[in-house]
């Protein structure tokens, strides 16, 4: 086939990139080779626009076993135990085909984890949909939630935490980010780096079909009015086969058979074989006619670019093939030796004993394009808010409006569709600041949480980047966990747009600063660009997934009030920052101004001191203060409990809206029994922590002196109102 400019463009390659390919090969590529370059050089696989910025992130620490560059990150939690985790996007597929897009997003991230030798113990997600009144939102919402539940429930991994948000910025491009967490022994971690010459390259799992071809390329381009036509690029998942594949791989890992292992994710067999060979500085030769196919007359091009699910590539030690095949036969999975490692440093593709393609590995990997794209710095404008306007709405009216809004309403109708308790190690499920998963047969546990804040990042990207790391940190601290490391999923618009690239660069700077200060390294992640339709880009939406350690779990700390007449203490100072608040958004439709400032020293000191209080058994419940401010945090603590609260009027800030709805950072609310209050105050004072005694818990009513009094029953009704009417 003659390679034309039109064919090159259809493969998502720029003319100058194609010219570079010809130079690297010293010839014209054939159609198969062009497809392989297209797969490996797209944004999704090569990170060509983000690599220079990602290098700035802190990725090392005493707790880090494996940082970015492998299928998932690995951290040490002591006693030869390791936690393996990663988050990835499946945005474009989920917009086109919500059920399968979301389901295969779950399947893909699970393979990233058990490929490393870890048994998955938890799933999380971060979901962003368009406005509830947009004609597509309802079907996308139900399709995605069903897909996540359908896959996770069937494979038997609990979905324990997440977030679901709505905004018009996602009307034409939803975000579906899936995170998986697994447990492994530190001395039994598996990697993708190929080693040795003439080693067996083995295909295992499900058969190869035509689904998902060009899926990675589709994820590296903006949508347009013809996006619906891209459904064939969406993979189809089978959780029951994934379960068999997981158990077979974990069984094989008990032996010393595996040299390297890699799942076939984006770009399928192409990316898995190239990545293994590249990391090992080896070549790899594949006999494509040996690939098990579920459709007739599949071409080499289709085989190499298929993104059919539930497949792995394994390189085995000599003489281990027979025993390994026996395991996969037992689990009723394909096991076929399809190639060998070589010393050629080439990807060599044979079909019916004829070489159909031969490409230097480095041309596909290390010599893939790296762009230092031009970007512009954000110059945000401070919003001038007339304080008189804030007094036009009563505290009670504003509270009701926020609690009944789509973003703050009860989401149990979502989480109830997920099995959160399977495996029986979920000590605290979704609803609190972080979920808690017990390490099986121990009294040790991990806490996990995902967080995002697009409005802050749009307004001031550096501050927004810092804030979302800090919020994730606070969520782990709130349940008594020491934060250890993060994974990130960086969802942005078109990187060829200088403003969008500026948002990315500055968000990364903010993430870097916060992670360095908090000793909270980035161990894995994903970049998702081109989130938009017809040049209308989403707001910058970095998602942070954090993991923390609870060395000894007794009674899990949640955000729900535990006792009557216990004291409520606010840690951290309130300045009344109201710009970019959900108070202004929900009550005045104002979405402008600057986000609250981030004081990293206060974040660190306040968080570490709260951990001291929790470890001294002085805290009954705890909740960080974030979106909606103090009053929303207090209302959330009352919801789901048998107790309300009576809150004092502030002594310093005269504007009650600023005090109760301001979104100042580095703050927590803790519930303390009366007899422990003096001990608590002493620790806070000794550590130089600002705090306020703001009230106490009480039966039946949520109350602010002289301003509002709502029964817990009514509060619950208000909080459940939106979905019941949707």
């Amino acid at each position: 086939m003659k390679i034309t400019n039109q064919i090159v463009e259809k493969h998502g390659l720029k003319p100058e990139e194609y010219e570079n390919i010809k130079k690297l090969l010293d010839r014209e590529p054939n159609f198969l080779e062009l497809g392989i370059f297209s797969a490996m050089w797209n944004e999704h696989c090569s990170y060509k626009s983000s690599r220079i910025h990602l290098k700035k992130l802190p990725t090392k620490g005493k707790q880090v076993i494996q940082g970015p560059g492998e299928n998932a990150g690995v951290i040490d939690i002591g006693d030869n135990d390791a936690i393996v985790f990663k988050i990835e996007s499946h945005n474009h597929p989920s917009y086109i085909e919500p059920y399968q897009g979301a389901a295969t997003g779950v399947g893909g991230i699970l393979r990233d984890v058990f490929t490393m030798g870890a048994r998955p113990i938890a799933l999380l997600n971060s979901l962003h949909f368009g406005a509830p009144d947009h004609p597509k939102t309802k079907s996308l919402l139900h399709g995605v939630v069903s897909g996540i539940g359908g896959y996770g429930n069937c494979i038997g991994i609990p979905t324990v935490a997440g977030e679901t948000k709505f905004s018009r910025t996602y009307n034409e491009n939803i975000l579906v980010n899936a995170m998986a967490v697994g447990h492994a022994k530190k001395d039994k971690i598996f990697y993708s780096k190929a080693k040795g010459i003439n080693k067996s390259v083995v295909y295992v799992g499900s058969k190869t079909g035509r689904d998902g071809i060009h899926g990675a390329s589709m994820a590296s381009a903006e949508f347009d009015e013809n996006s619906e036509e891209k459904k064939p690029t969406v993979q189809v998942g089978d959780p029951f086969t994934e379960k068999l594949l997981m158990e077979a791989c974990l069984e094989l890992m008990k032996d010393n058979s595996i040299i390297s292992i890699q799942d076939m994710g984006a770009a399928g067999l192409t990316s898995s074989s190239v990545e293994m060979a590249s990391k090992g500085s080896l070549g790899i030769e594949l006999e494509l006619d040996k690939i098990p196919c579920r459709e007739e007359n599949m071409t080499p091009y289709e085989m190499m670019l298929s993104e059919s699910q539930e497949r792995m590539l394994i390189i085995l030690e000599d003489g281990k093939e027979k025993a390994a095949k026996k395991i996969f036969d037992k689990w009723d999975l394909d096991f076929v030796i399809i190639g060998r490692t070589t010393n050629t440093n080439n990807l060599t593709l044979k079909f019916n004993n004829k070489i159909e393609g031969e490409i230097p590995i480095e041309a596909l990997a290390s010599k893939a394009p790296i762009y230092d794209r031009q970007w512009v710095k954000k110059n945000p404008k401070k919003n001038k808010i007339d304080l008189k306007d804030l007094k036009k709405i009563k505290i009670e009216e504003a509270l009701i409006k926020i609690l009944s809004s789509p973003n703050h309403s009860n989401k149990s109708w979502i989480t109830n569709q997920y099995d959160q308790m399977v495996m029986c190690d979920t000590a605290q499920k979704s609803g609190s600041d972080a979920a808690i998963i017990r390490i099986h047969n121990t009294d040790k546990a991990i806490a996990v949480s995902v967080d995002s804040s697009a409005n802050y990042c749009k307004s001031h990207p550096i501050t927004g980047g810092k804030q979302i790391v800090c919020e994730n940190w606070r969520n782990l601290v709130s349940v008594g966990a020491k934060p250890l490391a993060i994974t990130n999923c960086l969802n942005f618009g078109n990187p060829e747009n200088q403003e969008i690239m500026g948002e990315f660069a500055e968000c990364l700077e903010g993430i870097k600063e916060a992670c360095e200060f908090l000793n909270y390294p980035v161990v894995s992640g994903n970049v998702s660009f081109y989130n938009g339709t017809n040049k209308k880009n989403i707001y910058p939406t970095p998602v942070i997934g954090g993991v923390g350690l609870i060395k000894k779990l007794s009674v899990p700390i949640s955000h729900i009030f535990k006792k009557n007449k216990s004291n409520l203490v606010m840690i951290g100072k309130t300045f009344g920052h109201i710009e970019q608040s959900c108070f202004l958004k929900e009550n005045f439709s104002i979405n402008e101004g600057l986000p609250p400032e981030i004081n990293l020293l206060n974040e660190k000191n306040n968080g570490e001191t709260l951990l001291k209080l929790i470890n001294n058994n002085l805290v009954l419940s705890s909740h960080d203060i974030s979106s909606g401010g103090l009053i929303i945090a207090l209302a959330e603590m009352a919801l789901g409990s048998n107790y309300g609260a009576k809150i004092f009027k502030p002594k310093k800030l005269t504007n009650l809206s600023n005090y109760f709805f301001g979104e100042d950072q580095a703050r927590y609310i803790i519930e303390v029994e009366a007899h422990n209050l003096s001990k608590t105050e002493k620790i806070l004072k000794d550590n130089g922590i600002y705090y306020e005694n703001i009230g106490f818990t009480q039966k039946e009513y949520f109350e602010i002196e002289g301003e509002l009094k709502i029964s817990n029953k009514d509060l619950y009704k208000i909080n459940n109102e939106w979905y019941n009417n949707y």
Side-chain angles (χ1 to χ4, degrees):
M1 179 185 291
K2 173 70 176 172
I3 305 298
T4 64
N5 292 338
Q6 188 179 18
I7 290 173
V8 171
E9 187 180 355
K10 273 192 169 184
H11 280 76
L13 292 164
K14 307 282 186 190
E16 58 271 24
E17 290 176 336
Y18 183 64
E19 290 303 313
N20 193 22
I21 289 169
K22 290 195 292 184
K23 287 180 182 177
L24 288 168
L25 293 177
D26 199 28
R27 58 178 173 82
E28 294 266 354
N30 60 35
F31 189 66
L32 169 61
E33 293 168 334
L34 182 71
I36 288 169
F37 272 105
S38 168
M40 294 304 299
W41 281 21
N42 64 51
E43 196 72 60
H44 191 79
C45 292
S46 74
Y47 292 79
K48 56 189 177 185
S49 298
S50 58
R51 244 188 292 178
I52 62 168
H53 297 283
L54 294 173
K55 287 179 180 178
K56 301 173 185 176
L57 293 175
T59 60
K60 296 180 179 178
K62 289 182 180 179
Q63 69 275 42
V64 178
I65 297 172
Q66 174 63 53
E70 267 293 341
N71 288 289
V74 188
I75 56 173
D76 188 347
I77 60 168
D79 309 308
N80 197 35
D81 290 316
I83 295 297
V84 180
F85 64 106
K86 188 182 182 183
I87 190 170
E88 275 200 341
S89 63
H90 233 221
N91 304 334
H92 288 63
S94 299
Y95 183 74
I96 294 170
E97 214 303 299
Y99 185 96
Q100 289 296 346
T104 53
V106 173
I109 199 65
L110 283 172
R111 288 195 301 279
D112 281 339
V113 166
F114 72 74
T115 298
M116 301 290 293
R119 178 170 290 280
I121 57 175
L123 287 163
L124 302 87
N125 53 70
S126 175
L127 311 177
H128 293 73
F129 297 98
D133 59 0
H134 189 271
K136 286 187 177 181
T137 296
K138 200 168 193 176
S139 64
L140 289 169
L141 171 65
H142 286 283
V144 166
V145 170
S146 297
I148 291 170
Y151 204 99
N153 295 353
C154 288
I155 198 173
I157 310 296
T159 301
V160 298
E163 59 175 5
T164 303
K165 296 183 178 182
F166 301 88
S167 171
R168 296 193 184 280
T169 188
Y170 309 107
N171 278 353
E172 309 299 333
N173 197 122
I174 65 174
L175 302 183
V176 177
N177 294 178
M179 176 176 169
V181 183
H183 170 244
K185 290 300 178 181
K186 193 169 71 171
D187 56 357
K188 293 292 285 184
I189 304 295
F190 291 82
Y191 300 94
S192 58
K193 180 180 178 179
K195 296 177 184 177
I197 306 299
N198 203 34
K199 302 295 183 182
S200 296
V201 178
V202 185
Y203 173 117
V204 300
S206 191
K207 288 181 168 53
T208 296
R210 290 187 171 94
D211 54 313
I213 294 173
H214 288 305
S217 298
M218 178 261 297
S220 304
E222 279 186 335
F223 283 146
D224 55 29
E225 60 276 358
N226 300 315
S227 296
E228 295 293 327
E229 297 174 4
K230 296 179 180 179
K231 280 192 177 181
T233 64
V234 178
Q235 313 92 326
V236 178
D238 179 358
F240 299 105
T241 300
E242 178 113 334
K243 171 67 173 174
L244 300 177
L245 181 61
M246 179 177 72
E247 296 299 342
C249 288
L250 292 175
E251 184 176 341
L252 181 62
M253 288 168 173
K254 292 176 182 177
D255 191 10
N256 295 317
S257 302
I258 297 174
I259 295 174
S260 65
I261 181 168
Q262 178 76 40
D263 84 294
M264 297 190 209
L269 185 55
T270 290
S271 62
S272 56
S273 57
V274 170
E275 287 171 14
M276 293 169 93
S278 174
K279 289 173 184 175
S281 299
L282 296 172
I284 194 163
E285 182 179 290
L286 302 178
E287 297 179 60
L288 302 184
D289 48 298
K290 293 183 178 179
I291 291 174
C293 297
R294 65 169 182 259
E295 298 182 53
E296 294 183 357
N297 302 317
M298 287 190 67
T299 65
Y301 181 96
E302 292 170 329
M303 293 176 194
M304 289 300 295
L305 297 183
S306 168
E307 294 185 7
S308 295
Q309 298 291 282
E310 295 86 40
R311 303 178 301 157
M312 307 283 273
L313 204 62
I314 301 175
I315 297 176
L316 289 176
E317 293 282 7
D318 294 339
K320 298 290 185 176
E321 296 89 349
K322 189 175 179 180
K325 186 177 187 307
K326 191 174 178 180
I327 291 172
F328 284 87
D329 286 347
K330 181 182 77 173
W331 291 100
D332 197 25
L333 296 165
D334 281 302
F335 177 102
V336 184
I337 298 172
I338 63 167
R340 294 279 177 184
T341 57
T342 71
N343 61 0
T344 64
N345 294 108
N346 289 338
L347 174 67
T348 305
L349 304 175
K350 291 184 174 180
F351 189 69
N352 294 333
N353 293 318
K354 181 184 174 185
I355 294 179
E356 296 288 342
E358 189 152 26
I359 307 172
I361 292 290
E362 63 177 9
L364 298 168
S366 61
K367 291 190 177 180
I370 299 177
Y371 295 131
D372 186 3
R373 297 194 183 276
Q374 295 295 306
W375 58 275
V376 294
K377 192 175 179 67
K378 190 91 172 185
N379 291 310
K381 295 180 180 178
K382 186 175 174 66
N383 187 43
K384 293 182 181 178
I385 302 167
D386 192 339
L387 294 181
K388 293 179 182 177
D389 291 339
L390 302 186
K391 295 178 181 179
K392 291 179 181 178
I393 188 166
K394 293 182 178 178
I395 297 293
E396 183 172 341
E397 184 184 344
L399 172 66
I400 291 171
K401 202 159 187 178
I402 294 172
L403 280 183
S404 60
S405 69
N407 284 322
H408 285 84
S409 64
N410 189 321
K411 301 295 194 306
S412 59
W413 57 272
I414 292 177
T415 57
N416 288 343
Q417 296 182 56
Y418 307 147
D419 190 335
Q420 300 185 63
M421 301 305 294
V422 64
M423 299 176 73
C424 300
D425 283 317
T426 307
Q428 184 160 283
K429 52 186 187 180
S430 62
S432 282
D433 292 311
I436 299 174
I437 311 297
R438 193 184 302 273
I439 303 302
H440 196 62
N441 287 333
T442 75
D443 58 359
K444 188 165 55 180
I446 59 165
V448 290
S449 180
V450 292
D451 299 279
S452 63
S453 185
N455 281 350
Y456 288 175
C457 291
K458 182 67 177 176
S459 167
H460 194 269
I462 293 179
T463 301
K466 285 193 279 190
Q467 187 275 336
I468 200 57
V469 172
C470 292
E471 184 175 346
N472 185 265
W473 161 278
R474 291 197 301 271
N475 282 335
L476 299 181
V477 168
S478 294
V479 300
K482 177 180 172 56
L484 293 180
I486 69 167
T487 181
N488 57 38
C489 195
L490 307 173
N491 306 278
F492 288 78
N494 190 332
E496 298 167 56
N497 178 311
Q498 291 188 19
E499 185 177 326
I500 302 297
M501 200 64 216
E503 291 172 349
F504 180 82
E506 291 194 287
C507 272
L508 263 287
E509 180 60 34
I511 292 170
K512 169 183 174 290
E513 285 184 35
C515 287
E516 284 180 340
F517 196 91
L518 298 173
N519 187 26
Y520 203 27
V522 182
V523 297
S524 60
N526 171 238
V527 178
S528 177
F529 277 134
Y530 297 98
N531 288 292
T533 299
N534 292 327
K535 303 189 184 303
K536 190 175 180 179
N537 295 285
I538 65 164
Y539 278 12
T541 313
V543 175
I544 302 295
V547 175
L549 176 64
I550 302 172
K551 286 186 178 181
K552 190 170 183 177
L553 183 66
S554 51
V555 179
I557 299 290
S558 75
H559 74 293
I560 296 171
F561 291 143
K562 298 299 188 301
K563 291 187 177 182
N564 189 33
K565 295 184 178 179
S566 49
N567 295 83
L568 298 174
V569 179
M570 178 167 60
I571 295 173
K573 198 166 187 176
T574 298
F575 300 95
H577 186 96
I578 208 77
E579 291 184 32
Q580 285 297 331
S581 66
C582 73
F583 170 74
L584 289 183
K585 183 181 178 183
E586 297 295 343
N587 291 284
F588 299 92
S589 298
I590 297 173
N591 199 25
E592 293 152 5
L594 297 173
E597 291 184 11
I598 305 298
N599 186 314
L600 292 173
L601 183 61
N602 285 348
E603 290 283 1
K604 191 170 193 294
N605 290 344
N606 292 0
E608 290 180 346
T609 304
L610 175 53
L611 283 178
K612 289 178 184 176
L613 295 173
I614 292 173
N615 291 332
N616 279 283
N617 298 314
L618 297 173
V619 176
L620 289 174
S621 65
S622 172
H623 194 17
D624 90 300
I625 302 173
S626 54
S627 178
L630 171 61
I631 193 170
I632 298 300
L634 287 164
E636 289 170 347
M637 295 178 84
L639 287 163
S641 81
N642 296 318
Y643 305 101
K646 185 168 184 176
I647 307 302
F648 311 135
K649 277 191 176 181
K651 296 177 181 178
K652 293 184 179 180
L653 282 178
T654 56
N655 192 299
L656 293 182
S657 295
N658 288 67
Y659 182 79
F660 284 111
F661 294 99
E663 296 184 5
D664 306 291
Q665 301 292 292
R667 294 184 300 160
Y668 306 83
I669 301 163
I670 58 173
E671 180 189 1
V672 181
E673 288 185 273
H675 68 271
N676 283 326
L677 184 60
S678 60
K679 294 178 186 175
T680 301
E681 290 181 327
K682 185 177 186 310
I683 291 174
L684 290 167
K685 289 174 182 175
D686 289 349
N687 286 274
I689 305 300
Y690 182 90
Y691 71 95
E692 294 178 34
N693 289 300
I694 60 171
F696 53 86
T697 59
Q698 63 180 14
K699 291 183 178 179
E700 296 185 28
Y701 289 95
F702 183 79
E703 179 180 4
I704 296 175
E705 283 182 330
E707 292 296 325
L708 68 86
K709 189 174 183 178
I710 306 173
S711 72
N712 270 26
K713 287 182 180 178
D714 286 341
L715 207 64
Y716 181 83
K717 185 179 177 182
I718 291 163
N719 195 228
N720 283 271
E721 194 170 81
W722 176 74
Y723 183 70
N724 292 336
N725 298 325
Y726 188 49

